[in-house]
Amino acid sequence: MVFDPQADHKRWLTLRLLLWLALGVTLAVAVFNDYRSDLRHWQRQTPKELQALEGAPSGVRELLPDGTHPERCVSCHLGVDAPIDGLPAPYQRHSWPLTHHTPKRIGCVVCHGGEGRALTTAAAHARAGTSARSARLVLPYLEASCAQCHLPGAVPQTEHLVRGAYLFLELGCGLCHSLATGGRGGWDDGPDLRTTRQASVEALTQSILDPTIDFPDSTMPSYRTTFADKPEALADLNTYVLSLALSGGAPRDQVAPRINPTLPCNTCHATTMAMGNFHHDCVYLRDRRNELRCSGCHADGAPQGRGLCPLLVAHASACLACHTPKGPR
Amino acid sequence: MWHALGKALASLPQNLVADLRPHTRPDDSASKRLRRSFLYHLFPLRVTERALAPTTTWALGIISLTLFLVLCGTGLVLALYYVPTPAEAYDSMLDIEHRVALGGLLRRLHRVAAHALVITAALHLLRVAMQAAYRHRELNWWLGLTLFAALLGLAFTGYLLPWDQTSYWAVRVVSTLLDHLPWLGQPLKLLLLGSDTLGDQALVRFYALHVALLPGGMLAVLALHLWRVRRDGGLSSSTPELVTQPAWPHLVDRVVGVMLATCLVLMVVSLTTALPLGPPADLLRPDNPEKAPWYFLGLQELVSYSATMGGVVVPVLVTLLLFALPLLDRDERDIGVWFGDTAEKRLFATLVLTSSLVVVLGSLVSTWPTLTQAQTNLSNTLKDLLNPASLCLVTTVIAGTLAGSRTCLPRSAMRVMLGVLGVSLLWFTLLGLWRGADWLLTWPWSGSSHGL
Amino acid sequence: MTPNLPQQPDPATEGALSRRALLERLTGVTALACGIGAVAATLRAAVPSKPDAENRRLYVGRAADFKMNTTTWLSEMELFILHTRAGLAALSARCTHLGCTVRRSRDGFRCPCHGASFDAEGHVLAGPARRTLPWYALSVTPTGDCWVNTEVEVTPGSYVAAVMLPEETP
């Protein structure tokens, strides 16, 4: 084939023109994407009532609850602590008045999860480093967040968390997933739920219903029948397990917490205590309830949880699943 | 006086343009244009028609150069925001992703270009080796190999910087490979990491390497590399060609076209793919399985067979072979073409295909449970000798010897060896990709959730 | 006389080094030596000095903290403390294959990265690892404090008798 300089140059010039045009288009797309970002979209549509109160928002609003990690949630959630009712999402005010847990003091992420630095809806509402939506944005899993600082049962209106803690005891989860010895339960090994990386609710559900799908070597039984028609119960248990990973426990496993989580007595005994008979809902002890006397644990009848339970002494290895007889070393 | 100054100022833009663009003064002589224009200075006056044909080199060098320039540009902006401390590295990545205008795009461009550059540079290297274009330009071949090594270093150091779970453990796995290197391994590791473990010291060192030492060195070597291409007379060839065309506009047309096309592909890929950061690094809990970056997966696969054979013997021999190529091959014929004749092509295809098949089947057979069981009972020396890594080595040597004895040409022996090594590396990389939890093979069609 | 004329070799001094050539060679050698020295010095500066081996001793806890027949996981130090009838021992939790942190398993330890498994004393059971998990020198002071020196490896199987002081009773 003979090389035709004229035609060749013309062909390449045309191609070059097309390439420049295409490159220009991609640049325009990039700039356009940046322009119609979620942040700008929501700030442009700020309701008039809010604008009247605080002026028109522009740019990123940041909170620095701990001084180092900026949280930008309030860039779109503009009305969180504004005294205006009835605004649509994302401008609505917090469902209950934030007196102590103000965004300025503790931020949003500590309770609701998500990525505080992100400025797109998808990334901001996802768990850090994943594309999965943070479960703690809303109830029931939001209650897991309370356990980071408060004892389950100590905060009013955390029924899901308390019911989950109760289920954890009732089903004997702690016998393998020991909360005292860090994964070495009395009966068999189970991962220490306090030190696992925070899992998604979907993964937790799968691990409870069909443990062998993700972990082929697992000896854990399937709890599919237990939760067959009780999705709420499963959600409660998940809330509690999420709270375990959140509160973390001591990083050094050999440091045994006193009873971790230190459940207040009324977590389990709320109703039974009121009726005056002692009923311990640990699977191990359930069959031996006749051997139990209140005075075994409570020297002078006061529910301090400090005395020596006769069974706790005799069958310490089984009880270690949930308790340690002594306080922290 | 004011008048003269005004005139000078008025003609300034035109002069500046004329200095940069050669065809603004068509009446100038060629040599004057050459001196005048910097751009034109990069190219010879005339090039062969073979050099203009796209299939001769597939423009791999130009594509790699473009990617390198893109990496420098995007990297400079990223470096303005990145903080190389374990406490802030991940957070600063999040800031780049979310807070910096077009930051996400910049980060994706940088990442896509980096991965692409590893591929195009490897192909460029393979092209030069296969066409025997290293003949009479030993220095440039070695400069090229140095550039490739620096490039792998850049890709590897850059991999750590996001400080997310994947990057931290991948780099930790690769840096532990150094433990298996005798004598040099420990001092080298200490020099690279600044301590025994991958921690804050290592991050600062990786950052310094990634933004200053390696790119600076690479720029210098790259300048030499390009200058040598020009000094060596462009494309190598053993048959001088008389039919030439002016480099301006034809060569420049092609170079600019390829550069633009590369940028366009980069932009489209970066705009359409999401490359999210992983979860932040957890220094106490590795994932299962933990993998090296994909370009080191083949090496990791070899090391998982045997640290000595796969981690030391094979890589050292391959490096030596690559460096020795222009010294071993002294043949004057057929420089700069893919194959001498059809007979050699056929021989190459047969040998590479059969040997690769041997390696593939051999490594598959070695995963047979009974064999794996039997292997655990062997002594450590035998374990190092009997594994897919040594099988690959032996097959390569046999195929090379066969080719050499058949054609009496060291070049065709080395072509076959490089071919077998290339396919084997590809295969071991694939195997590495298919490793699932507990480093067990999980076929892509068996539908497991684990993978890259 | 034109200074630029090439010098005619003097038959008397031919073969010997001219003063100029000697000077040139000396300069070259000195420059090379300086260059090598500078590079070596730079590299030496870049290699961090290791702290004295004695300072690398880690306090791991009191002997009484490690219960009989347990393996305690000290995550931050990447150590396991074994306590058997034979005594106490400190095992590295770093897999000898590619340095991931091993976890406890049914029969000992298992590396999550590439599936190497070890028995309860760190000997290789299966997988790509070749070496036993390193045992570090552990010492128990008379007061019952345990120290581990991660710079000093000891032969696997060498336990240190734990002097169990009578527990203080309140």
Side-chain angles (χ1 to χ4, degrees), chain B residues 317-378:
Chain B
L317 285 181
V318 172
T319 315
L320 281 182
L321 174 71
L322 282 175
F323 268 92
L325 266 190
L327 302 178
L328 298 174
D329 174 18
R330 310 303 296 176
D331 195 2
E332 292 295 337
R333 289 167 298 166
D334 298 328
I335 297 170
V337 292
W338 287 103
F339 287 101
D341 48 23
T342 16
E344 202 205 331
K345 199 188 276 182
R346 202 166 295 152
L347 182 74
F348 176 84
T350 323
L351 279 175
V352 170
L353 273 182
T354 28
S355 332
S356 311
L357 212 61
V358 169
V359 173
V360 168
L361 290 179
S363 52
L364 280 183
V365 166
S366 78
T367 60
W368 210 268
T370 34
L371 264 180
T372 333
Q373 202 56 46
Q375 216 228 4
T376 43
N377 301 328
L378 293 177

Side-chain angles (χ1 to χ4, degrees), chain C residues 40-64:
Chain C
T42 315
L43 280 181
R44 179 66 197 86
V47 176
S49 321
K50 275 192 165 188
D52 182 47
E54 194 54 24
N55 293 340
R56 307 273 281 193
R57 289 201 318 163
L58 301 169
Y59 177 69
V60 293
R62 297 185 47 82

Side-chain angles (χ1 to χ4, degrees), chain B residues 69-83 92-93 95-97 99-107 109-110 207 210-211:
Chain B
L69 294 177
V70 169
L71 282 166
C72 287
T74 50
L76 266 176
V77 184
L78 293 177
L80 298 180
Y81 291 100
Y82 180 75
V83 187
S92 63
M93 290 300 288
D95 272 349
I96 291 172
E97 185 76 35
R99 183 82 160 81
V100 178
L102 297 176
L105 179 69
L106 269 181
R107 192 179 78 81
L109 271 176
H110 196 74
Y207 182 67
H210 189 77
V211 303

Side-chain angles (χ1 to χ4, degrees), chain C residues 136-153:
Chain C
Y136 292 134
L138 183 142
S139 51
V140 186
T141 62
T143 51
D145 289 327
C146 293
W147 293 81
V148 171
N149 191 336
T150 53
E151 287 292 288
V152 183
E153 281 190 32

Side-chain angles (χ1 to χ4, degrees), chain C:
Chain C
M1 282 236 357
T2 37
N4 283 344
L5 264 184
Q7 266 188 332
Q8 289 293 323
D10 184 355
T13 56
E14 205 178 21
L17 277 174
S18 74
R19 194 178 298 171
R20 181 166 147 194
L22 181 71
L23 213 59
E24 274 176 4
R25 199 169 290 182
L26 265 177
T27 317
V29 168
T30 319
L32 190 72
C34 276
I36 292 174
V39 170
T42 315
L43 280 181
R44 179 66 197 86
V47 176
S49 321
K50 275 192 165 188
D52 182 47
E54 194 54 24
N55 293 340
R56 307 273 281 193
R57 289 201 318 163
L58 301 169
Y59 177 69
V60 293
R62 297 185 47 82
D65 291 348
F66 308 110
K67 296 203 188 81
M68 181 60 84
N69 290 328
T70 56
T71 305
T72 310
W73 163 225
L74 306 180
S75 59
E76 272 150 39
M77 303 178 212
E78 297 195 281
L79 282 177
F80 284 109
I81 306 292
L82 264 59
H83 192 180
T84 66
R85 301 222 172 275
L88 284 163
L91 253 77
S92 162
R94 286 192 160 204
C95 181
T96 51
H97 175 229
L98 286 179
C100 288
T101 315
V102 296
R103 293 177 191 164
R104 271 172 296 184
S105 70
R106 203 162 299 275
D107 28 329
F109 307 100
R110 186 176 181 83
C111 178
C113 291
H114 311 112
S117 59
F118 305 86
D119 69 6
E121 293 199 326
H123 300 291
V124 179
L125 287 177
R130 296 277 186 274
R131 285 189 295 119
T132 307
L133 291 177
W135 286 50
Y136 292 134
L138 183 142
S139 51
V140 186
T141 62
T143 51
D145 289 327
C146 293
W147 293 81
V148 171
N149 191 336
T150 53
E151 287 292 288
V152 183
E153 281 190 32
V154 293
T155 36
S158 35
Y159 287 93
V160 176
V163 189
M164 297 298 272
L165 296 172
E167 281 217 36
E168 290 168 45
T169 39

Side-chain angles (χ1 to χ4, degrees), chain A residues 37-78:
Chain A
S37 65
D38 291 348
L39 172 70
R40 283 172 211 267
H41 171 78
W42 293 118
Q43 291 202 339
R44 240 178 281 136
Q45 299 197 349
T46 314
K48 292 213 174 53
E49 303 95 297
L50 259 183
Q51 291 203 24
L53 199 69
E54 300 186 23
S58 70
V60 179
R61 291 191 174 188
E62 254 176 19
L63 296 174
L64 274 169
D66 61 353
T68 48
H69 294 81
E71 290 184 10
R72 298 166 185 150
C73 315
V74 286
S75 299
C76 299
H77 295 281
L78 290 154

